[in-house]
Amino acid sequence: MRKDIEFKTEDGVTLRGWHYVPEGAQGPVPTIVMAHGFSAVKEMYLDRFAEAFAEVGLASVVFDNRNFGASDGEPRYEIDPWQQVRDYRDAITYAETLPETDAQRIGIWGSSYSGGHVMVVGALDRRVKCVVSQVPLASGHRNVRRLIRSDYLASVQAMFDEDRRARMNGAAPAMIPVVAEDPAAPSALPTPDSWTWFTETGKTRAPSWHNEVTLRSVEMFTEYEPISYARYISPTPFMMIVALDDVLTVSDLALEAYEEALGPKRLVTLSGGHFDAYVNDFEAASGPAQEWFLQHLGK
């Protein structure tokens, strides 16, 4: 069973999403809090994961990140990773208020950018009793240096600096496409598979997705280091799902973050690329996540 929900964050922004409850649930049940990655909206396959969790008796609170999709927030299409971490924690607080939620059995799930967020939230918030991080961003600074040619880095930094000066003088934040067909053109996620997945999924599933973010969203990406929190997730059970052919949130950095984490932990590897976790490798990604949540949250 799915119903639309909305809740206010601590700073008063309304976030909207879905509440999934397993059919025939009796009393409070374990609940998974989940949001999407960089610029993505909930219709981009989060429903499939929430449905898979409901099939095994797990409820889910799924929400659009602020400034995106059905959620409020200004400026539109701006991504502040630390604000998104705070919103995850507010979503946990909201989930605790729902009569269908067993507040002692709350898990978190994230993918890509939010795969990094759940590492941070898992380390900071002990209300969380289980974490699943799928194809996560581990190190924004190092990841950007893998996505952008070294001879382009100085010009990218110059764009950040010019945008900062303009904003101080009262200009609106500069914007940049999330993806571009030409991977050499300016974009936030400059890989061919990013272009294909976002444009195709936007057409077929998520017409509210918008191919633009603020330039400072990319600058904040370069400053974000979820790997520094990996060892502090313990003793909360932690699963990482890594796509071995991931060239967006590159797999070797994710594996390094997994090695940093202490136990209890489990690594699941997928044979495909970053976006295969949502489609071609969906069962290979969702099945172990179901098992991990059931093992540590119970029915």
Side-chain angles (χ1 to χ4, degrees):
M1 180 181 70
R2 183 178 99 181
K3 65 178 181 180
D4 293 338
I5 57 171
E6 63 177 52
F7 60 95
K8 285 193 180 294
T9 62
E10 191 173 353
D11 62 341
V13 172
T14 298
L15 304 184
R16 297 182 178 88
W18 300 318
H19 184 210
Y20 282 81
V21 178
E23 292 293 336
Q26 298 293 320
V29 294
T31 298
I32 314 304
V33 174
M34 48 197 297
H36 222 314
F38 194 96
S39 88
V41 295
K42 63 186 182 300
E43 290 83 3
M44 291 171 149
Y45 295 103
L46 291 198
D47 50 341
R48 292 191 71 194
F49 285 93
E51 288 163 4
F53 297 151
E55 288 171 3
V56 295
L58 303 167
S60 296
V61 169
V62 185
F63 66 97
D64 276 330
N65 288 304
R66 71 168 62 205
N67 308 335
F68 289 88
S71 290
D72 292 346
E74 297 289 341
R76 297 303 288 176
Y77 315 118
E78 174 147 291
I79 305 168
D80 179 339
W82 282 105
Q83 184 61 67
Q84 291 188 348
V85 164
R86 289 190 290 272
D87 290 344
Y88 249 100
R89 300 185 73 179
D90 286 344
I92 292 168
T93 303
Y94 168 72
E96 289 179 315
T97 71
L98 298 171
E100 299 89 350
T101 299
D102 183 337
Q104 301 305 310
R105 295 189 291 171
I106 290 177
I108 53 175
W109 179 99
S111 188
S112 194
Y113 212 25
S114 67
H117 298 345
V118 296
M119 292 167 59
V120 177
V121 175
L124 297 177
D125 198 323
R126 293 301 167 195
R127 294 176 298 173
V128 173
K129 299 303 189 291
C130 191
V131 179
V132 174
S133 172
Q134 177 178 282
V135 294
L137 173 78
S139 167
H141 186 79
R142 286 189 285 164
N143 211 112
V144 163
R145 288 175 175 268
R146 301 286 286 278
L147 291 174
I148 301 174
R149 281 175 32 178
S150 58
D151 55 332
Y152 287 1
L153 285 171
S155 62
V156 171
Q157 186 62 57
M159 291 170 60
F160 295 158
D161 295 343
E162 183 57 34
D163 181 43
R164 189 176 292 276
R165 295 185 191 101
R167 295 197 314 267
M168 183 169 283
N169 287 324
M175 307 298 290
I176 189 171
V178 178
V179 294
E181 188 168 13
D182 178 2
S187 69
L189 306 178
T191 67
D193 60 340
S194 297
W195 165 260
T196 299
W197 187 82
F198 273 101
T199 55
E200 291 183 356
T201 307
K203 288 177 184 176
T204 59
R205 294 180 64 92
S208 69
W209 177 74
H210 186 82
N211 187 20
E212 193 175 43
V213 292
T214 62
L215 181 60
R216 65 181 169 188
S217 298
V218 182
E219 185 174 22
M220 286 187 280
F221 180 104
T222 71
E223 301 164 350
Y224 188 46
E225 296 293 312
I227 192 172
S228 64
Y229 287 85
R231 69 185 295 105
Y232 304 112
I233 300 169
S234 179
T236 303
F238 173 53
M239 170 178 280
M240 183 180 286
I241 301 169
V242 177
L244 295 178
D245 287 339
D246 195 334
V247 296
L248 181 59
T249 56
V250 290
S251 53
D252 58 299
L253 293 181
L255 292 169
E256 182 181 332
Y258 179 78
E259 290 302 316
E260 283 281 319
L262 306 176
K265 63 180 181 178
R266 179 184 169 192
L267 176 66
V268 174
T269 58
L270 309 177
S271 59
H274 185 84
F275 297 99
D276 288 319
Y278 306 107
V279 187
N280 296 334
D281 290 337
F282 171 75
E283 287 79 12
S286 62
Q290 290 171 317
E291 295 168 6
W292 191 248
F293 283 134
L294 285 177
Q295 178 182 345
H296 295 287
L297 300 179
K299 280 193 174 184

